Amino acid sequence: DAGVIQSPRHEVTEMGQEVTLRCKPISGHNSLFWYRQTMMRGLELLIYFNNNVPIDDSGMPEDRFSAKMPNASFSTLKIQPSEPRDSAVYFCASTKGQLNTEAFFGQGTRLTVV
Amino acid sequence: GQQVMQIPQYQHVQEGEDFTTYCNSSTTLSNIQWYKQRPGGHPVFLIQLVKSGEVKKQKRLTFQFGEAKKNSSLHITATQTTDVGTYFCAGSGSARQLTFGSGTQLTVLP
């Protein structure tokens, strides 16, 4: 299995632009998580899905952030409009079975908003 | 809400010295997991502890889960340069999803 696949690996964009991050979870995994990692705040859970349904989005910082999971093999995290303080590494992770089993992380997307 | 605290935030050791990181939860956990993130990499699962007082070993790494299931530790014996990275604990409580600690960044000096 190729593992959790995220794209792009790096994204540099100007403030105000829309940014879309993509994630393909491991086949057969039924839970998907979006995390944001910064030096200041560490690893923060933004939102998670179970069987394609958003369960908890309380970690989403603002209305500028939105996430979708149209099917079991694809999820997006969108930021519109982007701001410099959104600069971070965004990780997608998936688990099989219950929410608290071993999490498999993607390589992450390093986002820089200038 | 559930909080998971981890100390120390940073640790520098000489190669060959031991290293320990501690994790404490504000609530009782159903399980705790440990992850390692190499510089520039992504978190990678190391182990999961479920039982009260459980101790597990992986070569030079020893993981413990407290009797009250509110704390855990990771101990590395005789560190090597390959141990460099950030070690995260992640606990699962009543909310079921994992809550990650802030991590301990380990530097091993040759």
Side-chain angles (χ1 to χ4, degrees), chain A residues 56-97:
Chain A
D56 185 354
D57 65 353
S58 60
M60 297 285 260
E62 299 172 30
D63 290 346
R64 297 184 297 107
F65 285 69
S66 63
K68 294 181 179 180
M69 192 165 186
N71 56 63
S73 58
F74 184 65
S75 177
T76 59
L77 177 67
K78 184 180 293 186
I79 308 173
Q80 180 184 19
S82 58
E83 296 182 3
R85 59 193 170 123
D86 301 330
S87 298
V89 180
Y90 290 81
F91 287 106
C92 174
S94 68
T95 65
K96 184 176 182 179

Side-chain angles (χ1 to χ4, degrees), chain A residues 9 33 35 37 39 42-43 45 48 56 91 95 98-108 110, chain B residues 9-10 30-31 33 35 37 40-45 48 88 92 95-98 100-102 105:
Chain A
R9 291 292 309 277
F33 305 78
Y35 290 91
Q37 186 174 41
M39 289 292 292
L43 200 58
L45 176 64
Y48 70 92
D56 185 354
F91 287 106
T95 65
Q98 297 186 18
L99 296 174
N100 57 357
T101 55
E102 175 185 352
F104 292 80
F105 283 77
Q107 304 259 23
R110 181 174 293 277
Chain B
Q9 188 175 359
Y10 302 97
S30 58
N31 68 22
Q33 298 177 10
Y35 292 77
Q37 183 177 20
H42 58 281
V44 175
F45 175 84
Q48 175 171 284
F88 292 95
S92 172
R96 302 296 299 281
Q97 80 275 14
L98 292 174
F100 278 80
S102 53
Q105 186 175 321

